[in-house]
Amino acid sequence: MIIIKSENEIRLMRMAGKVTAMAMEAVRKAVRPGITTLELDEIARDVIVGCGAYPTFYQYNGYPKNICASVNDEIVHGIPDKKKVLKEGDIVSIDIGATLNGYVGDMARTFAVGEISQEKKDLIEATKGSFYAGLEFCREGNRLYDVSHAIQSYAESRGYSVVRDYVGHGVGKNMHEDPSVPNYGNPGFGVRLKAGMTLAIEPMINIGVYDTKVCADGWTVKTADGKASAHYENTIALTKGEPSILTVL
Ligand code: MF3
Ligand code: CO
């Protein structure tokens, strides 16, 4: 069941989104060769807790840390670790959730560690571009898979593949609400979009194949072929007009 939010609920969600964006900004500034993903986790946690919010991912289905930090061929759900030291040329996908006023903000970005290859820069840009291609279709009256299809065609026309095994989602009092928001699909299908829907749209885009595998830790998801992956996610609200991004500073 899709939960439609009131204007007041969207106002509360924007506050959660702002805290999420503040934590992301602190992590963005800290990313450099030599830092560990556990240090990034602590930086994000301190911002979230300092704002009186709760790190949504902590203990979600037993998840052991506050954020996800996925390096290079890791797609999502990388567990921050003091042994995981970032090095020049890496890319790191940071996924952060913050709960404030009982509502969740959910957001992801992929950052460069020092100087990275042109191939990785292009991947990060295309992943962001695919999010915005989808956002254009987040309008009342459109169908959900119009959004999905726009993301898919943007990425695939540039030679990338779209992860199938993990998808975006509705978001509100719970991190995962209906509907699922795949990053691939047939235009003209899916539920009809309506003002008051709040969605986490989160393309995960790969250089190589879209197939995934889960690591022995039970969380970390990698590309099957070992090629790099990027992630770009915002929590958005549908309105009577332009969609509104809630995970902003
Ligand atoms: N942003 C991710 C998602 O939308 C975060 C889940 S990670 C978990 O599913 F650790 F909380 F499970
Ligand atoms: Co999400």
Side-chain angles (χ1 to χ4, degrees):
M1 187 199 50
I2 297 176
I3 302 167
I4 298 294
K5 279 75 176 181
S6 68
E7 273 178 34
N8 190 53
E9 287 181 288
I10 290 172
R11 188 180 64 78
L12 297 173
M13 285 187 69
R14 195 180 297 283
M15 293 170 72
K18 182 172 183 173
V19 172
T20 315
M22 286 170 65
M24 186 65 78
E25 181 64 4
V27 170
R28 184 185 70 77
K29 287 181 177 153
V31 168
R32 57 175 167 75
I35 199 163
T36 68
T37 57
L38 185 65
E39 288 174 287
L40 298 177
D41 184 273
E42 289 163 351
I43 288 165
R45 180 205 56 206
D46 287 352
V47 172
I48 292 167
V49 172
C51 291
Y54 182 85
T56 314
F57 301 174
Y58 184 66
Q59 291 304 341
Y60 182 88
N61 291 336
Y63 187 72
K65 290 286 182 282
N66 302 289
I67 68 171
C68 301
S70 310
V71 182
N72 295 329
D73 63 326
E74 296 172 357
I75 302 168
V76 282
H77 303 167
I79 304 173
D81 191 318
K82 68 175 185 301
K83 292 192 298 288
K84 202 131 194 178
V85 183
L86 296 180
K87 58 179 195 306
E88 182 99 19
D90 285 344
I91 57 173
V92 60
S93 297
I94 300 294
D95 196 340
I96 303 181
T99 306
L100 184 69
N101 308 318
Y103 290 89
V104 173
D106 189 7
M107 174 183 197
R109 292 288 185 275
T110 301
F111 299 120
V113 182
E115 266 307 306
I116 60 169
S117 66
Q118 190 61 46
E119 185 185 49
K120 282 177 168 171
K121 283 183 194 168
D122 292 344
L123 171 69
I124 291 172
E125 269 315 296
T127 304
K128 177 179 182 178
S130 73
F131 168 86
Y132 280 98
L135 187 68
E136 279 193 38
F137 286 84
C138 290
R139 291 187 160 273
E140 208 170 58
N142 284 348
R143 299 267 187 182
L144 182 64
Y145 300 163
D146 295 338
V147 178
S148 307
H149 178 76
I151 294 169
Q152 178 181 21
S153 44
Y154 185 98
E156 289 182 351
S157 69
R158 285 161 179 78
Y160 299 105
S161 69
V162 172
V163 170
R164 310 293 171 107
D165 299 338
Y166 301 86
V167 296
H169 47 91
V171 53
K173 287 188 171 154
N174 289 109
M175 174 160 63
H176 294 134
E177 295 184 353
D178 286 340
S180 284
V181 184
N183 298 300
Y184 55 91
N186 294 322
F189 288 81
V191 294
R192 214 172 268 290
L193 298 179
K194 201 172 168 318
M197 287 184 178
T198 46
L199 305 174
I201 299 181
E202 51 175 318
M204 288 149 270
I205 305 295
N206 297 351
I207 287 178
V209 298
Y210 60 66
D211 307 80
T212 68
K213 59 182 184 203
V214 179
C215 297
D217 64 17
W219 283 102
T220 311
V221 179
K222 289 191 182 192
T223 60
D225 60 7
K227 293 187 180 169
S229 182
H231 192 189
Y232 195 96
E233 174 180 30
N234 284 305
T235 298
I236 67 140
L238 273 83
T239 73
K240 293 276 177 197
E242 298 278 310
S244 181
I245 298 178
L246 304 180
T247 35
V248 287
L249 290 173

